[in-house]
Amino acid sequence: MLSLSFLNPTYLAALGLGALPILIHLIRRRRVRIIPWAAWDFLNRSHRVHRKRLRIEQLLLLLLRIIIICLVVLAFCRPVFRMRGMAMTAPDARVHALIVLDNSYSMGYRVGNGTTFDRARQAARSLFRQVLKEGDTVQVVLASARPEALIREPTYNLQQAASAVASAPLGDRATDYGATAAFCLRLLQQVRNPVREVYWFTDSQRSGFEPRRRSDDSVWAALAHAARITWVDVGEAGRSNISVENPVLSRDLVLRSVPVRISATVHNYAPTARPGSLVHLEIDGRRVASARIDIPAHGSAPVHFVYMFDTAGMHTGHISLDQHDALPRDDGTWFAVNVRPRISVLLVDGYPNPDPARDEAFYLATALTPTGPSMGASAGITLAIHAGPGLGRTNLTGYDVVIVAGLETLSAGDARLLATFARQGGGLLLFPGRNGSQGSGTAALQSLGVLPARVGPRRTLPADAGVSLDAASMTGSALEAFRDTSQIDIGSGHFTGYNELAPASAPDVRVDARLSDGHPALVERRIGSGRVMVTAFSAGTYQSDLPYKPAYVPLVHQVTSYLAAGRSEPRLLQVDDPIVAHFGVAEAGAGFVVTKPNGSLLHVRGELGVQGVTVPFPGTRSAGIYWVGTTAHPHSQAFAVNLPQGEGDPAVVADTAIKRLLGSSGQIVHGGQSLAAAVHQARSGSEVWRGLAIAALPLLFLEGLLARRMGRRG
Amino acid sequence: MLAPAPSEPHPKLADPQTLARIARLELRARVVVEGIISGMHRSPHHGYSVEFAQHRQYTRGDEIRHIDWKVYGRTDRYHVKQFEEETNLKAYLVVDASTSMKYQSGALSKSDYAAIVAAALSSLLIQQRDAVGLALFTDAVQVYIPPGSTPSHMRLLLDHLERPPVAPKTGVSHAFHDLAERVRRRGLIIVLSDLFDDPKAVLNGLQHFRHRKHEVIVFHVLDRDELTFPFRDAAVFEGMEGEGLLPAEPNALRKEYLRLFEEYLATLRRGCREMAIDYVPMPTDQPVADALAHYLHQRLRTR
């Protein structure tokens, strides 16, 4: 919206001259001569013919003369148009400028010899040369999902501010315009100078406005009210990008010599498809596999690798495109994995039976250690079996997973022990027995909030109306691998009876699998850092033929390794996610260091607790592999910090949407425009007297023509 | 019959400015007539009036004074002279007395001009022993004086021409038809008017005269303003015959006005030509004697 003001407003009074033609007309009308006329008929007829046209022409002439006079008078008044709501900035007024540099990683898009961010810095520096002057104050903000101030306190030192802008770093964060606007508003509220200007240098990325928060509109409105915003779009038109995102390992707990599927998603933010794109997998800095994938236009494609770690311990990986594009930063994604040599499992056999065919634990033990307990190490699982109801005096320390066959055999004391075990990161797999809904242990686990679902009575089905596991219902990470039934048909086993499960109504409860009749088959709950699962079906052959099916062994292994992962720290993080590394009590006295992706070391302090030493590190500003360790062994634990998803999408938001946010005083300046000229115009408005004078000329000419036509000059 | 010899009229005495300074119509007419006569090759006083035709033998009842005694001396018989009366023309001056004739931009109004022309023609005709009548009309014949040729008749004509009954006219043709019915005997009709009426109706009225075997001469008396519409500034025009007021921009109207006026004149000229009527335009800024002499000269040459 524009508003109008005048540099010579006193001349506005002369607009009254616009009434001059009317006055002259009226005076002439009063002084007009009366001529007696004999040849009346001819006069009257000629008048009648032209009466209408004459009247229109007279009115037009009158109007033209009024307009011409008004235009000339207005030109003398020197009108100035400027953005509504903003006072004009006098040339000598002191201005406070808040410079906002978008340093999200998408600003690293290559343009010519530099990047979009280089452009932004260059444009920002031109402010210091051409716009800002001595006496002005400056603040500098880096805009991203976590905006931060490069210069928080308004400074008069323009040279220092210019240097800060010149050396501003490009970040790995996502864009979040709303968060940055709120941050800027807080900074500006501390500025006393009423003449405030915000210069926002960005690539106008659409993802920066998503997700839209309810408070955003009011923040933008307040910011636009507090300062005149100049949005400088330094982005390149028609950008395209391919990004590799979201690395996923098929197992939460990766075991040595056990194959693991490593996947990632490759996004194509371009209007053309990329068939046969080559993607590489690197493990510990060594390329170990490659794959070709077809990426559709404006779409994505998964890439999968199967890899088997032959050594236990920390490993890092990188999935990357073979060829870099204009935004190379997101052409790859990192992951880190702690490969365990084995899992320790305690199997509690609630109903030991000399007949193995009737012993549920027999099938579980066989599945977990297919070659017998002595050979269990080759499957990565060390199995111990406790036969008899309850835990007895079994020490749970050192076990990763406890599997209970016959839930109802547990005592209340067992339940408390298991609850503690789970809260400390252990995994619990609970199979209800024939009376699974009963027993003090079941009730205790229920009351302790450990059971993911209330175990209901047994439901027996006719032999010919059995149910099976529904592969389609397996959406959780625990059983997701079984959704694809082409290799393993998880639905091949049939149940003629099962316990009805009523999942607890808590946010951490999830149904991982359902039976073909829709009833929950496997319900999971996270408790502390551990995981608890309860099943509706028996682990053995009671009302089930699942143990006879090929899917049984992988199911038991998958669930066990999933439950065992509770003891592992999350190692796939995003920028700004905190790292929390755990060390044993033995490391209590040691000094700890964090090695950043760029190789720099940072000393950090560990916190001693019951479980050992916890080393937190919140400063994951950059994507890449972070190592945490003691000063003696700095590369003990690895964490992969990845770029925020969606930031690779180069789509830009429309100017109209931006303008709406900037308010009436705001303006958008694009790359090709002169920033200094735009600022000057915004500050002082546009003088239009030349336009008015030029407009008066053709009108004058038209008046001459019309007057001549009407014979006034003849 | 009018039969002046072609000559240049007196330029000074007969112009409208001079005539305007002369108060009496009789004197104005005399000036014009002298202006015409001064340019003629032979005097209208010679060879006109009564001419000898033949002798015949005296019979009882003949006037003794008509006996030609010279013939008696030679032949010893009584013979009387027989004369042929040549001046038996009856002319009717049909003069427009409507208010539109009062328009005046120069020295003379149209009615003044028409009166002078009428008076001059009367004078010329009566001097030739022709009888002259007068009809003053507005939308009807207001005054009708039958033809006469005596000096006292001349005086009567001048009196009426000097004091015409002024009234608006609504139609010339009506007056013409009225007059055509009144004048039974074949004669010369001389119309002096601005003829501001529907030209078809005017021509229809003139046609009536021709139908009665009259010879018709139309002196179309117009002011120079009416011919050129010379006004520049905005003005309010007031109809002289009570039409009302009309505010107008003359410059904007001139072209259309002149086109309509020229169309009107052309219609009249063409109509008169077709009816063998002499159409004589008479702008009031033209010297009266010039106009008359020029016309008479033309007339003599064509007849």
Side-chain angles (χ1 to χ4, degrees):
Chain A
M1 288 297 201
L2 294 174
S3 68
L4 177 68
S5 58
F6 298 92
L7 296 183
N8 296 327
T10 46
Y11 290 175
L12 279 174
L15 273 177
L17 292 174
L20 216 54
I22 299 172
L23 286 175
I24 290 171
H25 173 75
L26 292 175
I27 290 167
R28 282 186 59 180
R29 200 168 168 179
R30 287 184 65 182
R31 290 185 179 174
V32 78
R33 192 157 62 110
I34 294 178
I35 301 172
W37 191 246
W40 177 265
D41 188 47
F42 306 99
L43 185 65
N44 194 33
R45 277 161 64 197
S46 57
H47 179 73
R48 212 161 44 216
V49 169
H50 297 292
R51 187 171 46 196
K52 227 174 212 177
R53 187 173 57 80
L54 279 174
R55 186 162 287 275
I56 291 170
E57 282 183 352
Q58 280 173 337
L59 276 175
L60 194 61
L61 196 62
L62 186 70
L63 204 65
L64 270 177
R65 286 169 179 172
I66 291 171
I67 290 172
I68 289 167
I69 290 172
C70 290
L71 282 177
V72 171
V73 171
L74 282 175
F76 274 100
C77 294
R78 293 182 65 189
V80 174
F81 281 103
R82 66 181 196 285
M83 296 302 167
R84 184 173 289 171
M86 290 304 290
M88 282 174 62
T89 307
D92 56 345
R94 292 187 173 179
V95 175
H96 174 74
L98 173 58
I99 297 171
V100 182
L101 282 173
D102 179 355
N103 78 330
S104 61
Y105 89 76
S106 66
M107 292 289 283
Y109 195 90
R110 291 196 179 281
V111 183
N113 293 328
T115 62
T116 311
F117 190 61
D118 292 335
R119 274 188 178 180
R121 283 190 296 203
Q122 200 172 349
R125 288 173 69 188
S126 74
L127 276 181
F128 293 97
R129 292 194 304 272
Q130 299 170 354
V131 176
L132 299 176
K133 61 193 177 306
E134 201 172 334
D136 291 346
T137 52
V138 174
Q139 288 172 298
V140 181
V141 166
L142 292 176
S144 66
R146 284 198 183 183
E148 52 190 343
L150 270 186
I151 299 179
R152 180 176 289 276
E153 297 302 322
T155 178
Y156 290 98
N157 191 339
L158 300 185
Q159 199 171 353
Q160 179 204 353
S163 299
V165 166
S167 59
L170 181 63
D172 276 344
R173 290 173 174 147
T175 316
D176 189 335
Y177 294 117
T180 308
F183 185 78
C184 292
L185 187 60
R186 286 196 295 276
L187 288 183
L188 284 177
Q189 280 166 350
Q190 298 162 6
V191 176
R192 291 186 177 176
N193 187 345
V195 187
R196 292 175 289 214
E197 296 173 343
V198 173
Y199 296 94
W200 199 306
F201 301 89
T202 180
D203 55 1
S204 303
Q205 207 176 1
R206 189 173 58 196
S207 61
F209 290 101
E210 296 163 351
R212 187 97 183 202
R213 291 173 288 265
R214 282 187 178 181
S215 58
D216 281 357
D217 284 343
S218 58
V219 167
W220 279 107
L223 186 63
H225 182 69
R228 175 166 50 221
I229 308 171
T230 301
W231 186 274
V232 187
D233 184 357
V234 292
E236 183 80 358
R239 295 183 298 174
S240 62
N241 180 39
I242 297 180
S243 69
V244 184
E245 299 175 357
N246 195 27
V248 175
L249 277 70
S250 60
R251 293 168 177 272
D252 283 3
L253 186 72
V254 181
L255 297 173
R256 182 184 61 197
S257 302
V258 175
V260 61
R261 189 176 63 194
I262 302 165
S263 307
T265 306
V266 184
H267 287 280
N268 180 11
Y269 300 109
T272 52
R274 298 293 184 95
S277 295
L278 188 59
V279 184
H280 302 298
L281 169 68
E282 291 177 7
I283 299 290
D284 299 326
R286 189 169 53 88
R287 184 177 297 174
V288 296
S290 297
R292 285 195 181 275
I293 55 168
D294 297 330
I295 321 170
H298 289 302
S300 60
V303 58
H304 303 292
F305 299 96
V306 176
Y307 186 72
M308 191 169 67
F309 293 89
D310 33 3
T311 57
M314 277 296 164
H315 294 275
T316 59
H318 189 222
I319 302 170
S320 61
L321 295 170
D322 182 64
Q323 288 185 331
H324 287 305
D325 57 16
L327 184 56
R329 189 63 179 146
D330 61 2
D331 288 348
T333 185
W334 292 269
F335 62 90
V337 58
N338 183 17
V339 178
R340 296 272 295 276
R342 61 178 57 83
I343 305 170
S344 293
V345 178
L346 173 65
L347 176 58
V348 179
D349 186 0
Y351 297 104
N353 194 314
D355 180 2
R358 295 189 173 188
D359 188 350
E360 287 189 34
F362 167 76
Y363 295 99
L364 286 169
T366 307
L368 289 167
T369 56
T371 53
S374 59
M375 301 295 287
S378 63
I381 293 174
T382 302
L383 179 67
I385 300 173
H386 172 76
L391 293 173
R393 294 185 176 180
T394 308
N395 185 359
L396 298 182
T397 309
Y399 290 109
D400 295 303
V401 177
V402 174
I403 302 174
V404 180
L407 171 62
E408 64 275 16
T409 63
L410 296 173
S411 65
D414 297 334
R416 281 193 292 277
L417 275 176
L418 289 173
T420 305
F421 172 76
R423 286 200 174 89
Q424 291 174 354
L428 275 180
L429 178 58
L430 307 172
F431 289 94
R434 298 180 186 189
N435 303 305
S437 60
Q438 300 168 5
S440 56
T442 308
L445 285 171
Q446 182 85 41
S447 63
L448 288 168
V450 174
L451 268 185
R454 189 176 57 78
V455 180
R458 192 85 183 168
R459 187 177 183 198
T460 302
L461 305 171
D464 58 346
V467 294
S468 59
L469 287 170
D470 178 15
S473 68
M474 298 176 176
T475 53
S477 60
L479 302 176
E480 197 180 8
F482 296 105
R483 281 174 64 84
D484 180 8
T485 56
S486 60
Q487 294 183 353
I488 302 170
D489 185 7
I490 197 70
S492 56
H494 287 80
F495 309 111
T496 54
Y498 58 86
N499 282 91
E500 290 184 352
L501 299 181
S505 54
D508 54 355
V509 172
R510 191 176 64 197
V511 177
D512 283 332
R514 289 183 181 276
L515 295 168
S516 54
D517 64 357
H519 280 87
L522 211 153
V523 184
E524 175 195 350
R525 179 174 211 166
R526 295 201 173 223
I527 171 168
S529 55
R531 300 165 181 178
V532 181
M533 272 191 191
V534 64
T535 67
F537 51 89
S538 161
T541 54
Y542 175 61
Q543 294 183 329
S544 167
D545 62 358
L546 183 62
Y548 303 139
K549 303 297 180 185
Y552 184 74
V553 174
L555 176 67
V556 172
H557 272 260
Q558 181 67 27
V559 170
T560 305
S561 63
Y562 174 77
L563 292 171
R567 290 212 185 279
S568 306
E569 295 87 357
R571 300 193 181 277
L572 288 175
L573 307 172
Q574 274 202 351
V575 169
D576 287 324
D577 285 348
I579 290 173
V580 181
H582 296 282
F583 292 87
V585 180
E587 312 291 351
F592 293 93
V593 289
V594 174
T595 308
K596 291 183 178 178
N598 61 5
S600 62
L601 288 173
L602 193 69
H603 289 270
V604 292
R605 298 184 65 176
E607 296 166 3
L608 182 61
V610 179
Q611 301 294 317
V613 180
T614 302
V615 180
F617 178 71
T620 57
R621 295 168 57 108
S622 303
I625 299 295
Y626 287 73
W627 286 95
V628 184
T630 60
T631 46
H633 301 286
H635 286 196
S636 298
Q637 295 192 32
F639 296 85
V641 175
N642 279 306
L643 295 166
Q645 294 183 16
E647 179 67 15
D649 185 354
V652 296
V653 72
D655 278 5
T656 48
I658 298 171
K659 271 185 181 164
R660 204 166 48 242
L661 297 175
L662 304 186
S664 58
S665 65
Q667 62 171 340
I668 299 175
V669 179
H670 288 281
Q673 297 172 273
S674 163
L675 176 59
V679 172
H680 175 73
Q681 185 174 326
R683 284 182 175 181
S684 57
S686 303
E687 274 207 63
V688 292
W689 69 269
R690 280 190 190 86
L692 292 174
I694 289 169
L697 287 177
L699 293 181
L700 207 59
F701 180 70
L702 192 63
E703 189 273 344
L705 281 182
L706 207 59
R708 183 173 289 275
R709 179 188 166 84
M710 294 184 68
R712 283 207 177 277
R713 309 244 171 107
Chain B
M1 190 64 203
L2 294 171
S7 68
E8 288 301 315
H10 195 287
K12 295 291 180 188
L13 290 176
D15 67 20
Q17 286 75 20
T18 308
L19 293 174
R21 286 196 291 270
I22 300 170
R24 289 185 59 198
L25 180 59
E26 184 182 358
L27 288 177
R28 287 177 174 183
R30 191 177 298 168
V31 168
V32 173
V33 170
E34 289 299 328
I36 296 168
I37 291 171
S38 66
M40 289 183 176
H41 295 298
R42 57 190 174 114
S43 168
H45 298 288
H46 304 287
Y48 293 94
S49 70
V50 179
E51 283 188 7
F52 171 76
Q54 61 182 352
H55 287 99
R56 72 172 166 80
Q57 203 158 6
Y58 174 78
T59 57
R60 287 181 68 180
D62 287 336
E63 291 231 15
I64 301 291
R65 62 189 175 104
H66 287 157
I67 295 172
D68 190 337
W69 297 108
K70 286 181 181 176
V71 175
Y72 174 75
R74 285 200 302 270
T75 62
D76 205 18
R77 290 184 182 180
Y78 295 106
H79 284 85
V80 292
K81 288 179 182 175
Q82 274 193 325
F83 297 91
E84 189 174 271
E85 188 182 295
E86 195 177 53
T87 56
N88 59 351
L89 174 70
K90 288 187 186 300
Y92 298 90
L93 293 166
V94 182
V95 180
D96 189 344
S98 65
T99 46
S100 72
M101 292 292 284
K102 289 292 174 190
Y103 186 79
Q104 176 179 355
S105 67
L108 297 171
S109 70
K110 288 190 284 182
S111 61
D112 291 342
Y113 198 92
I116 293 168
V117 172
L121 286 173
S122 304
S123 175
L124 283 173
L125 288 166
I126 287 174
Q127 281 181 30
Q128 293 183 173
R129 307 287 191 270
D130 288 334
V132 179
L134 175 66
L136 296 172
F137 71 94
T138 55
D139 54 342
V141 177
Q142 302 291 337
V143 174
Y144 176 72
I145 301 169
S149 56
T150 60
S152 59
H153 184 73
M154 177 69 188
R155 172 64 49 207
L156 180 65
L157 296 183
L158 290 176
D159 281 349
H160 278 94
L161 284 171
E162 275 184 319
R163 285 182 292 276
V166 179
K169 70 168 177 282
T170 53
V172 172
S173 60
H174 183 253
F176 286 179
H177 286 302
D178 184 15
L179 196 61
E181 290 300 321
R182 288 194 200 191
V183 181
R184 298 281 179 182
R185 192 177 166 189
R186 183 170 163 248
L188 173 64
I189 305 291
I190 300 169
V191 177
L192 291 143
S193 170
D194 55 13
L195 300 176
F196 283 161
D197 195 358
D198 176 15
K200 285 181 184 170
V202 172
L203 290 172
N204 199 23
L206 295 173
Q207 173 73 38
H208 199 162
F209 289 128
R210 292 295 292 145
H211 182 71
R212 294 283 183 181
K213 308 295 184 188
H214 296 297
E215 187 178 357
V216 182
I217 301 169
V218 173
F219 289 105
H220 196 181
V221 183
L222 293 169
D223 194 280
R224 183 58 65 185
D225 281 1
E226 290 164 345
L227 289 165
T228 58
F229 201 64
F231 310 105
R232 299 274 176 209
D233 295 328
V236 174
F237 291 87
E238 184 178 16
M240 292 182 71
E241 298 193 338
E243 291 94 339
L245 297 172
L246 179 69
E249 290 283 351
N251 284 310
L253 302 180
R254 184 180 298 109
K255 195 175 173 185
E256 180 66 14
Y257 171 89
L258 293 178
R259 189 188 69 76
L260 291 171
F261 206 86
E262 184 50 43
E263 191 178 283
Y264 155 77
L265 293 178
T267 306
L268 283 180
R269 272 197 299 268
R270 189 170 55 249
C272 289
R273 190 170 58 246
E274 285 169 358
M275 290 186 284
I277 294 172
D278 283 350
Y279 173 81
V280 184
M282 278 204 158
T284 55
D285 59 347
Q286 186 182 9
V288 182
D290 277 7
L292 277 176
H294 182 70
Y295 166 69
L296 294 174
H297 172 69
Q298 287 288 106
R299 187 176 171 87
L300 278 176
R301 284 182 62 180
T302 53
R303 305 204 171 183

